[in-house]
Amino acid sequence: MRFFLCGAAFVALAACEPSIPDSGAGVGFGDYSEYIELEAVRDAELTGQGLPPAQGVTSAPLSGTSTDAGADVAADARAVLDATRANSGEAPLQASASNPPPEVINDPSGISRENDFSAVDAERTIEDDAQLRRQQQAQYRVIPPTALPSRSGASGPNIVRYALSTSHPKGQSQYRRGGLNAQARYERNCAKYPSPDLAQLEFLEKGGPQRDRLGLDPDGDGYACDWDPAPFRKVRGN
């Protein structure tokens, strides 16, 4: 009885074991004939020998394969390539080492070929170049300089003219200054100007450098809000 039970269990386990798949279909694709047909179509297109007629593998097909599927795929691939060729209107470029590149008639970008001596020599002669230079010289015109136009508008203070009219350095007192809280007033009022040039301009407009009504020049050097005439003098010296 024990032997009979062991034999029944062995038969049951054998029935549950999965079946071994058929390896005749190949690895990585469904049909080996289809793979062979696709390789033949690709090789024929690359070498420019034309597409082979749709046919199966010459060797005996493996077990479980069908040559009809490969022929259908080859026919479909041939139809797609023919349609692509007809749509472009030009034959596809064949990849071959003996196939020379197409000749470039002219540069479509419009770049000058003046530095290409072989191209220029084929287009014109030395006499043509001489004639071209004479034409360019005839068109050359010298424009003589003219006097600068006079400045129009308001004739107010000019910080450039003022800088060039002075010679003492920044920080050297030239004018008497007084008043209470001069430093605090200087910092508060100078903070209102976007640049020292604008502060110096208004300083001159309000009576500077002799008078400092706005409190922009507490040290009396004639330069408001850290304005420095040295860059203007340097330009004149250069």
Side-chain angles (χ1 to χ4, degrees):
M1 184 64 181
R2 184 178 300 176
F3 179 77
F4 176 75
L5 292 177
C6 292
F10 179 77
V11 172
L13 291 175
C16 296
E17 183 180 0
S19 60
I20 300 175
D22 185 10
S23 60
V27 179
F29 43 84
D31 193 338
Y32 188 73
S33 301
E34 176 184 342
Y35 172 76
I36 294 296
E37 290 289 343
L38 291 177
E39 287 294 310
V41 171
R42 187 192 64 177
D43 295 341
E45 186 64 23
L46 291 178
T47 57
Q49 298 177 358
L51 295 174
Q55 59 183 6
V57 184
T58 55
S59 60
L62 298 176
S63 175
T65 62
S66 175
T67 59
D68 294 337
D72 293 340
V73 172
D76 293 341
R78 186 184 300 104
V80 171
L81 293 174
D82 292 341
T84 303
R85 186 185 301 109
N87 184 44
S88 62
E90 298 181 0
L93 181 63
Q94 306 299 334
S96 175
S98 61
N99 191 15
E103 180 183 0
V104 179
I105 304 302
N106 201 353
D107 190 351
S109 61
I111 300 177
S112 174
R113 298 194 300 174
E114 291 294 324
N115 294 331
D116 189 349
F117 296 103
S118 60
V120 174
D121 183 64
E123 292 176 358
R124 60 178 183 266
T125 62
I126 297 179
E127 290 75 12
D128 295 334
D129 284 342
Q131 178 65 24
L132 180 60
R133 286 196 298 271
R134 286 192 293 269
Q135 293 177 359
Q136 293 174 346
Q137 291 175 358
Q139 298 174 357
Y140 183 78
R141 184 166 60 96
V142 178
I143 301 177
T146 58
L148 295 175
S150 59
R151 186 184 297 273
S152 59
S155 57
N158 188 301
I159 60 174
V160 177
R161 185 183 301 113
Y162 176 75
L164 299 180
S165 66
T166 60
S167 58
H168 63 279
K170 175 185 172 183
Q172 186 179 44
S173 180
Q174 301 289 318
Y175 309 94
R176 293 186 58 183
R177 300 287 188 244
L180 299 176
N181 299 322
Q183 185 64 29
R185 186 186 179 196
Y186 162 79
E187 294 176 357
R188 181 176 66 254
N189 292 342
C190 285
K192 301 177 182 178
Y193 298 96
S195 67
D197 288 345
L198 294 178
Q200 180 68 19
L201 182 60
E202 188 166 6
F203 170 68
L204 296 176
E205 290 176 347
K206 299 298 184 180
Q210 290 79 10
R211 303 180 62 180
D212 184 19
R213 297 178 179 178
L214 302 177
L216 305 179
D217 181 27
D219 58 358
D221 61 354
Y223 311 138
C225 297
D226 205 32
W227 183 77
D228 191 356
F232 303 97
R233 300 171 185 168
K234 185 177 180 180
V235 171
R236 182 179 64 178
N238 293 337

